[in-house]
Amino acid sequence: MAINVYLNFNGNCREAAEFYADAFNAEKPEIMTFGESPQSPEYTLPDEAKDLVMHTRLNILGSNVMFSDVFPGSPFVEGNNVSLAVVSDDEEKLRAAYEALKVGGKVAMELQETFWSKCYGSLKDKFGIEWQFSHESAEA
């Protein structure tokens, strides 16, 4: 398992990711917007969300740092916009860590399959630390 830093931005994620890529001489980030993700027929994506960054990642000096914009209307507090992302190809270990950290904490999203992960979920632990858990196959 790896733990990556995940940074959230309030509409300026693309600018921030490109700034950090330049500052650290990293590869230009590949950016997926909310508008490029598979859409639910039960929900119309608001126009203001379509060009916002859903996900991007940079390798900064050997460490993966992930970025996204918060969805319009979601809470955003500058300085508290960091979470830790547990990424593993071992679903059993991922589930065990999630279950342990949710005790006394608050679940934001139960572990479930998404279009980007076989097993993804998020929570805030009893100490107030935000965690994301994502299964990533070894060959990915």
Side-chain angles (χ1 to χ4, degrees):
M1 284 197 277
I3 297 179
N4 301 305
V5 175
Y6 206 110
L7 305 174
N8 292 112
F9 295 86
N10 198 20
N12 59 346
C13 181
R14 182 183 304 270
E15 177 187 355
E18 289 172 354
F19 172 79
Y20 294 128
D22 286 345
F24 291 101
N25 197 26
E27 282 188 37
K28 182 174 168 51
E30 291 183 32
I31 293 175
M32 174 186 262
T33 65
F34 284 104
E36 293 169 331
S37 67
Q39 302 301 303
S40 167
E42 295 92 44
Y43 177 77
T44 303
L45 187 68
D47 285 341
E48 65 268 22
K50 291 181 179 173
D51 291 329
L52 294 177
V53 175
M54 181 178 170
H55 180 77
T56 191
R57 153 176 44 203
L58 292 175
N59 186 292
I60 297 176
L61 304 174
S63 295
N64 282 324
V65 180
M66 297 185 277
F67 305 77
S68 71
D69 280 310
V70 295
F71 199 78
S74 297
F76 177 84
V77 179
E78 192 171 301
N80 290 343
N81 50 328
V82 176
S83 62
L84 299 176
V86 179
V87 180
S88 177
D89 63 354
D90 187 329
E91 188 175 344
E92 189 176 312
K93 284 184 180 177
L94 193 78
R95 287 183 179 279
Y98 176 91
E99 292 299 323
L101 290 181
K102 84 177 194 181
V103 174
K106 183 174 188 223
V107 171
M109 183 175 175
E110 287 289 350
L111 288 175
Q112 60 192 269
E113 186 168 345
T114 64
F115 73 88
W116 69 86
S117 175
K118 179 175 143 182
C119 182
Y120 175 85
S122 60
L123 58 82
K124 180 185 284 188
D125 72 20
K126 67 182 179 180
F127 300 106
I129 305 300
E130 300 275 352
W131 293 88
Q132 298 180 56
F133 297 82
S134 187
H135 181 274
E136 196 171 279
S137 62
E139 62 271 356

